[in-house]
Amino acid sequence: MYKYFNNIFVAISSILKGMSITWRHMINIRKGNVTLQYPEERWPRPERDIGFDLDSYNVIRSRLHVDIDDCIGCLKCERVCPVQCIKIVTTKAETKGEDLPDIGHTGITSNGTKKALIVSRFDIDMSECCYCNLCVYPCPEECIYMTGGPNSHKHPIDYEFSQYDRNDLIYKFAKDVDDEKISKYVSKKIK
Amino acid sequence: MGVIHGDLMTLNIGPQHPSTHGVLRLKVKTDGEIISEVEPIIGYLHRCFEKHCENVTYDQVIPYTDRCDYIASMNNNFGYAVTIEALMEIKVPERVEYIRIIVAELNRIASHLLALGTYGLDVGAFTPFLYMFRDRERILDLFETLCGARLLYNYIWVGGLSHDLPRDFVESVFSFLDYFEPKIEEYNELLTYNKIFIERTADIGVLPPEVAISFGVTGPNLRGSGVKWDIRKDDPYSIYDKFDYDIPIGAGEMGTVGDCWDRYYVRMVEMKESAKIIRQALKGLPAGDVHQALPKKIRPPKGSIYKRTESPRGDLAYYIVSDGSPIPYRLKMRSPAFTALSVLGEISQGWMMSDVIAILGSLDIVLGEIDR
Amino acid sequence: MSEDLDKLISDAVEKALQGDMDVINNIEDRVTRSKAKAALVKAKRLAKAAIAEDAPKPEESKAVEALPAELSLTEKVSAVIAKKFPNTIESDEENSHIQMKGKNWFEIAQYLRDNPDFLFDSLQCVTGYDFGENEDLEVRYNLHSMTHNHAIEIRIKTDRNDPKVPSVEKVWRIGDWFERETYDMYGIVFEGHSNMTRILCPEDWEGWPLRKDYEVQETYHGIVVPKVKDGWE
C-alpha cells in the first residue's frame, strides 16, 4: 500500500522536476535560443582570427579551387587523393619558363618557379571528393586549396554549390582551348 | 520471462526505420506481442572498406577509417595511428600524445551525447535529445576551429597530427567544460531519474556477464553488466596511464545488474570521467612540434600486428599485415558494434515489441562500423 | 670445419637448454644460427617427452610448470597442445603465433577456453588471409583471456580450392558472426556452423570479395555494378 502511493509520488515529482527545467529554458528564451534561421542567418565560418599563422594551415573544408596559372603539373595532388577524384593531363613544354599566349600558358608561377609542363586537363569531381584536405598539403605552389577561410583573399568561400545534374559537379580548371592548338605542342605521347 | 511458442508471426522492422540507428533490418518472430526470436540482418551499408585499403597507401587509409564509425571519428583515426606506430616503432612527441587524448576524449563525450540523446528519443523523450545535441554542437564547433571539419576529421595521422592547436583552443575547451559539467546534472533530472524512463528501461534486456564475454561484447555494454574492463586501464596505449580517472560499472541501482538502465547510466558517468581526463591533460600540455615525427614515407617492416584501443562503443582493434610496401597487404578492423549487435538476438527473447527498440538503443550501435 | 660447426651448435644448444639464449643469438652466420635453433627445438621436444615418460601421471598444469619459465605464452600453449593433441602443431618457430592444422581445432578451442591456466574466454577477432593468387588461404584467430589478461594468435592454413575449417561457434558465441563474415569475404566454409550464409554481401552475390583474384561482377539484378560517369575516364 505504501509502495503504491510512493510510486505515484515519485512519478509525479520526477516529471515535475523535468518540466521545471524546460519551463526555465522557455522563460529565458531570448538569451538561450540556439536556433539559427538559415539561410538568413548563417553560423560564421572560421574567417575570424583563429590565432596562428594561417599561411601554413588550411582550416577550412569547402569546395576545392585551383589557380591554374600557378600549377606546375607535378601531379602530387592527384597521387595523394584517396578517391582519385582529380585528373590531370600534362605535356612537356618546349622551353622551360616560356609564355605561350595562344594556349594561355604562363611560363612563371607567382612564386617565381619556371614551369616545364603544360597542363592541358585538370578536372576535379566534387561529387567524389571526400573533403579530406590531403591534396592541399603537398602542393609546392599552394595553388590547390579549399575556398574561403584563410584563403578568402584568394577566393571567397563557397560551400553551397549544388547543381541539378551530377556531371555539372565536375569542375574543369584547365584553360579551355581547342585541341588543335594544344596538339601543336604535344610531344610523343599524350593520353 | 518465459517464451511461448504458439503460432509465430514474422514481422519485419525494415532497413528504413527511425529507431534502428542506421540501415539495419530486424526479422522478428512474435507470438502476439511477445518476441520469440530476433534476427538482425546487416550489410546495407557495406562498402568493403577492407578491400579499398588494399589499394591505397597507409596515409590515404585515414579518411577511409573516419567513415567507418562516423560518430567517433577521432577514435578510429587514433586506433589506426597507434597500430601503425606500434608496427613501425615510431615514438611520437609528448605534445602529440596529449592532444590526441584531448580530442579523443572530447569525441567520446560527443558520441555519448548522441547515443543517450537518441536513446531518449527512441523511448519517447524528445526534449533531452535536443538539449544533448545543443551541447554536442559546441564540441563540433571546437573541432571546427581545430581542423576545419565537423564530423570526419582526418586529424590524427601516423606519427603525429595534421595541425597544431589554434591559439585560444585551451581556453575554449576549459570554458566548454565549465559549461558542460552542470549540464550532466540537468540531464539526470530530465531523463535519468525520470520515473517513466526507469519503467521503460530498468530490468529490461538483462545481459549476464558470461554471455557478454562469450559474445565478445566490450565497452560500456560490458561495464553495464558489472565487469570492470577498460582497455585504457587494463592494456594502456598512448599515455592513458598518466591520468587519474575511474571506470564506472553497472550496479543494478534501478533493477538488475546489466539491464538497459545500467548501460545508459555507465555512459552518463563516463562523460564525467572523460571531462576529468581532459582537464588533467590540458593542465599538463607540453610545448613541442607536432610534425616532428611524421615519417616521409610510411613503409612498415614485414609483419603483422593486432592492437586494441577503447572507442566509445567498445574495443576497437586493427589487425594489419604488412609486406614491406607502402600499401597495406591486409587490414582488418574489428568493430565493437558488430559484437554488440550479435547479442541482440540473445537478450531480447521474451520481451515485448517496444522493449526490443529500447534494448537496441541501449546497445549503441553505428551501422557504419558494423558493415564497414 | 663441419665438425667445428657441429660442436658449436651442440654447445649452443646445451647452453640454451639451461636458459642462456645469448650464445645462439650471437652466432654470426645466419645458416648456422637457424640450424642451432632447429636443433634446440628438437632437443626441447625430446626433453619434454622424457619428462612425460618419467612422471607417473602428469596433469596438464604440472606439465606446464616443468617447462623452463622463460618460455613465452605462445611457446607454453603450443607445448601443451602438442602434448595433448599430437600432430596438430605445424611449427612453433615464430613467437608471435601458433600455426596449426585444422583437424582438431574444435576440441583444442574448448580446451583452451576451459583450461584454468589459460582461460581464453574471449575470441577477439577472426581474420581471413590470402597468400596470393593460386596460394593457400588462412584463418587467423586472436584469443584473449579476461581473467589472466594474456593473448595469443592461432593460424590455420587451408587449401584454396576446397577451404574447410572446423567451426568454433559452440565454443565462443561470437564465432557465429565472425565466421559468417570470413565465409562471405573469402569463401572458407566452417564445418559445423548452423547458418553458413553471407552476412555483409547480398545472398546471391557471386565471388569472394577479399580474395586477391576477385573480379567484380558486371551486373547485379540488372544494375551495372562498376560505376561509370560521362566525361570521366
Side-chain angles (χ1 to χ4, degrees), chain B residues 177-231:
Chain B
L177 288 175
D178 292 332
Y179 158 83
F180 178 65
E181 276 168 352
K183 294 288 174 193
I184 301 188
E185 299 308 318
E186 199 179 276
Y187 300 144
N188 278 341
E189 280 187 20
L190 263 181
L191 193 59
T192 317
Y193 294 112
N194 191 325
K195 189 71 179 149
I196 306 180
F197 186 72
I198 294 175
E199 289 290 316
R200 261 326 275 278
T201 55
D203 281 330
I204 309 268
V206 177
L207 179 63
E210 308 81 35
V211 173
I213 295 179
S214 174
F215 267 97
V217 175
T218 47
N221 296 329
L222 185 62
R223 279 176 241 139
S225 297
V227 179
K228 199 162 183 140
W229 176 258
D230 188 331
I231 306 264

Side-chain angles (χ1 to χ4, degrees), chain C residues 74-223:
Chain C
T74 318
E75 290 172 329
K76 268 194 219 152
V77 174
S78 71
V80 172
I81 293 179
K83 212 183 78 49
K84 193 153 161 47
F85 301 92
N87 223 3
T88 48
I89 303 272
E90 280 195 11
S91 76
D92 52 356
E93 297 277 325
E94 313 268 334
N95 232 349
S96 58
H97 63 270
I98 301 178
Q99 189 84 28
M100 252 198 240
K101 294 201 189 108
K103 278 192 322 195
N104 298 330
W105 171 225
F106 182 66
E107 289 87 17
I108 298 180
Q110 274 181 323
Y111 177 69
L112 283 174
R113 185 191 58 174
D114 298 327
N115 181 301
D117 277 323
F118 302 135
L119 273 184
F120 287 114
D121 48 10
S122 144
L123 172 65
Q124 290 275 304
C125 185
V126 176
T127 319
Y129 188 76
D130 187 353
F131 278 95
E133 299 194 22
N134 301 325
E135 304 257 350
D136 292 330
L137 297 174
E138 194 178 52
V139 184
R140 301 182 175 186
Y141 297 83
N142 283 80
L143 300 173
H144 169 76
S145 165
M146 287 279 188
T147 35
H148 297 303
N149 201 0
H150 52 217
I152 59 167
E153 183 181 331
I154 294 182
R155 301 186 186 181
I156 299 181
K157 251 196 196 166
T158 169
D159 185 49
R160 194 187 192 82
N161 298 324
D162 186 23
K164 281 199 196 330
V165 176
S167 157
V168 291
E169 180 194 358
K170 308 272 187 309
V171 182
W172 297 288
R173 300 289 301 274
I174 191 56
D176 183 2
W177 274 29
F178 275 146
E179 290 173 352
R180 277 179 74 185
E181 187 193 342
T182 317
Y183 166 70
D184 190 2
M185 294 286 127
Y186 282 92
I188 300 177
V189 175
F190 289 88
E191 296 159 331
H193 196 277
S194 55
N195 182 20
M196 190 96 266
T197 51
R198 288 193 186 254
I199 190 172
L200 292 174
C201 295
E203 267 88 25
D204 48 357
W205 195 258
E206 291 155 13
W208 312 113
L210 277 177
R211 288 198 187 179
K212 295 288 176 183
D213 54 358
Y214 171 66
E215 301 273 336
V216 148
Q217 59 191 69
E218 290 285 321
T219 62
Y220 175 70
H221 285 257
I223 312 170

Side-chain angles (χ1 to χ4, degrees), chain B residues 18-316:
Chain B
S19 296
T20 53
H21 295 272
V23 273
L24 168 69
R25 179 169 157 222
L26 293 175
K27 224 154 96 172
V28 176
K29 287 203 173 64
T30 69
D31 170 39
E33 178 86 9
I34 304 200
I35 308 283
S36 108
E37 188 188 318
V38 172
E39 185 197 337
I41 297 175
I42 59 176
Y44 290 91
L45 195 50
H46 179 61
R47 300 152 286 181
C48 214
F49 148 79
E50 297 172 6
K51 187 86 181 174
H52 272 295
C53 293
E54 293 178 11
N55 292 325
V56 291
T57 62
Y58 281 97
D59 52 343
Q60 289 174 310
V61 166
I62 298 184
Y64 283 105
T65 60
D66 270 341
R67 281 149 173 85
C68 286
D69 180 2
Y70 36 81
I71 295 178
S73 146
M74 287 284 189
N75 288 283
N76 281 36
N77 289 350
F78 197 4
Y80 178 74
V82 159
T83 312
I84 302 284
E85 282 157 14
L87 188 59
M88 292 174 74
E89 286 168 26
I90 299 177
K91 179 118 184 21
V92 293
E94 279 279 311
R95 186 175 169 85
V96 168
E97 302 269 29
Y98 273 84
I99 297 179
R100 279 180 179 181
I101 294 204
I102 294 172
V103 291
E105 294 300 317
L106 271 176
N107 213 340
R108 191 184 305 268
I109 297 180
S111 167
H112 281 320
L113 280 173
L114 186 135
L116 302 176
T118 51
Y119 187 39
L121 193 63
D122 283 347
V123 296
F126 194 70
T127 310
F129 168 71
L130 292 175
Y131 284 17
M132 291 186 187
F133 264 66
R134 170 199 62 190
D135 298 328
R136 187 168 171 263
E137 283 295 306
R138 291 189 61 145
I139 299 184
L140 298 187
D141 284 338
L142 279 174
F143 282 141
E144 192 179 7
T145 62
L146 180 66
C147 61
R150 278 163 45 97
L151 206 57
L152 303 168
Y153 310 109
N154 189 17
Y155 182 66
I156 299 183
W157 285 359
V158 176
L161 304 168
S162 73
H163 301 118
D164 203 341
L165 296 178
R167 179 180 60 194
D168 46 1
F169 188 76
V170 178
E171 288 90 40
S172 326
V173 177
F174 269 125
S175 69
F176 166 72
L177 288 175
D178 292 332
Y179 158 83
F180 178 65
E181 276 168 352
K183 294 288 174 193
I184 301 188
E185 299 308 318
E186 199 179 276
Y187 300 144
N188 278 341
E189 280 187 20
L190 263 181
L191 193 59
T192 317
Y193 294 112
N194 191 325
K195 189 71 179 149
I196 306 180
F197 186 72
I198 294 175
E199 289 290 316
R200 261 326 275 278
T201 55
D203 281 330
I204 309 268
V206 177
L207 179 63
E210 308 81 35
V211 173
I213 295 179
S214 174
F215 267 97
V217 175
T218 47
N221 296 329
L222 185 62
R223 279 176 241 139
S225 297
V227 179
K228 199 162 183 140
W229 176 258
D230 188 331
I231 306 264
R232 293 176 291 174
K233 285 253 192 224
D234 293 307
D235 189 8
Y237 54 101
S238 185
I239 49 168
Y240 270 110
D241 39 5
K242 281 199 193 160
F243 300 114
D244 171 38
Y245 53 99
D246 292 320
I247 307 293
I249 56 172
E253 203 179 308
M254 292 288 164
T256 29
V257 178
D259 57 12
C260 295
W261 195 88
D262 269 343
R263 295 194 276 274
Y264 169 90
Y265 191 62
V266 160
R267 292 194 172 96
M268 195 58 100
V269 179
E270 266 188 18
M271 288 201 288
K272 266 197 251 184
E273 301 296 325
S274 286
K276 249 203 256 178
I277 298 179
I278 298 177
R279 275 192 202 274
Q280 290 169 42
L282 283 173
K283 287 208 180 71
L285 187 65
D289 180 16
V290 296
H291 291 311
Q292 190 185 351
L294 280 178
K296 285 233 170 1
K297 203 157 169 59
I298 302 181
R299 244 181 211 264
K302 264 199 194 175
S304 65
I305 189 166
Y306 180 78
K307 193 118 173 80
R308 301 177 291 174
T309 59
E310 177 86 12
S311 95
R313 273 160 197 90
D315 166 8
L316 176 76

